[in-house]
Amino acid sequence: MSDIKQHLTEQLQTALSPSHLQVINESHNHSGLASESHFKLIVVSDYFNDLKLIERHRFINQLFKEEMAHIHALAMHTYTPDEWQMKNGAPDSPKCAGGSKS
Amino acid sequence: MDVMDRIQQQVDSAAIVLYMKGTPQFPQCGFSAKAAQTLTSTGVKFAYVNIFEDQEVFQNLPAFADWPTFPQIYFNSELVGGGDIIVEMAEMDTLKGEMEKAAEKFTISNNKTP
């Protein structure tokens, strides 16, 4: 497992005790040389039960405040266990054209 | 004018404002493209700002609503979230309704204060 991926995984495990967690390195989909630039998170946690989507994303943004300086994109899919059961999967992230590098 | 005041003016200027990389016709990032497509698919009108055309806004928008990434979507001057949240709302079938509500609220408050 890559360093950043492992780091993200450990941080999320500690902060949210997720019942389901996927940290997916999607960097190969994207332009540029960085091999750890784009990640997708799927996090299912009881902690989200009373939080709106924006609050869940804010929590994770805050958790990875320093890491965000090095990661170009972090797609987030956050669910409560009930939502996850109803949904059965997270949507694909779009391809990034490397716009910020211009 | 201070850049934060300018951003405030932009988010106040329309019911729904999308800050994106590029334009809905020529998006320059997949995440911005997806957000623009998702908003467009509702048929509800929205405004957009191409952050590449305004470096000052590009650099200061993350601090404006304490949100580190682009795109950003505002309803009635309030940050709703980034692209993932818009897509999630579309999947839960709440996006169009929320956009219509925002548009209605915008019309009402603008008629009161011409």
Side-chain angles (χ1 to χ4, degrees):
Chain A
M1 199 187 281
S2 66
D3 289 350
I4 295 181
K5 183 175 167 177
Q6 178 155 14
H7 174 76
L8 297 178
T9 305
E10 285 169 2
Q11 294 285 308
L12 288 165
Q13 294 279 15
T14 309
L16 291 165
S17 321
S19 57
H20 178 88
L21 173 65
Q22 279 174 269
V23 179
I24 302 156
N25 185 346
E26 298 188 315
S27 308
H28 59 276
N29 287 343
H30 303 284
S31 58
L33 294 171
S35 62
E36 293 193 294
S37 57
H38 293 68
F39 288 89
K40 176 161 88 176
L41 309 178
I42 302 171
V43 189
V44 182
S45 169
D46 278 327
Y47 186 86
F48 294 143
N49 283 343
D50 298 320
L51 297 182
K52 291 196 296 186
L53 276 178
I54 188 166
E55 293 164 339
R56 300 175 193 179
H57 286 223
R58 273 199 195 283
F59 182 91
I60 294 174
N61 281 335
Q62 194 60 38
L63 184 65
F64 294 133
K65 208 170 178 152
E66 284 165 27
E67 290 82 348
M68 291 299 275
H70 310 289
I71 300 173
H72 177 70
L74 188 62
M76 286 179 220
H77 302 283
T78 53
Y79 307 102
T80 65
D82 284 351
E83 289 165 357
W84 180 246
Q85 204 169 17
M86 274 165 52
K87 174 165 177 72
N88 262 320
D92 289 338
S93 302
K95 296 244 189 298
C96 166
S100 75
K101 312 277 190 226
S102 64
Chain B
M1 198 192 307
D2 177 52
V3 61
M4 290 303 179
D5 291 338
R6 274 203 306 124
I7 295 172
Q8 187 66 51
Q9 224 170 46
Q10 285 172 344
V11 299
D12 290 346
S13 70
I16 298 151
V17 181
L18 165 67
Y19 284 89
M20 66 180 292
K21 293 179 175 174
T23 67
Q25 289 74 31
F26 298 102
Q28 287 180 264
C29 162
F31 292 90
S32 286
K34 181 90 185 173
Q37 268 167 25
T38 306
L39 290 177
T40 304
S41 70
T42 63
V44 182
K45 229 175 78 182
F46 64 93
Y48 71 87
V49 175
N50 177 1
I51 53 168
F52 285 151
E53 290 198 336
D54 193 328
Q55 282 301 314
E56 216 186 7
V57 169
F58 187 5
Q59 279 155 20
N60 289 281
L61 190 62
F64 177 76
D66 189 25
W67 191 263
T69 53
F70 305 102
Q72 296 190 11
I73 297 96
Y74 291 78
F75 288 3
N76 299 124
S77 310
E78 193 184 323
L79 179 69
V80 176
D84 292 332
I85 289 182
I86 293 298
V87 171
E88 209 81 62
M89 285 169 74
E91 288 190 348
M92 291 187 299
D93 256 341
T94 58
L95 181 64
K96 190 177 179 187
E98 291 292 328
M99 286 173 75
E100 285 169 344
K101 233 194 292 176
E104 201 176 315
K105 198 172 154 191
F106 184 79
T107 310
I108 292 168
S109 57
N110 276 356
N111 284 345
K112 273 185 196 154
T113 52

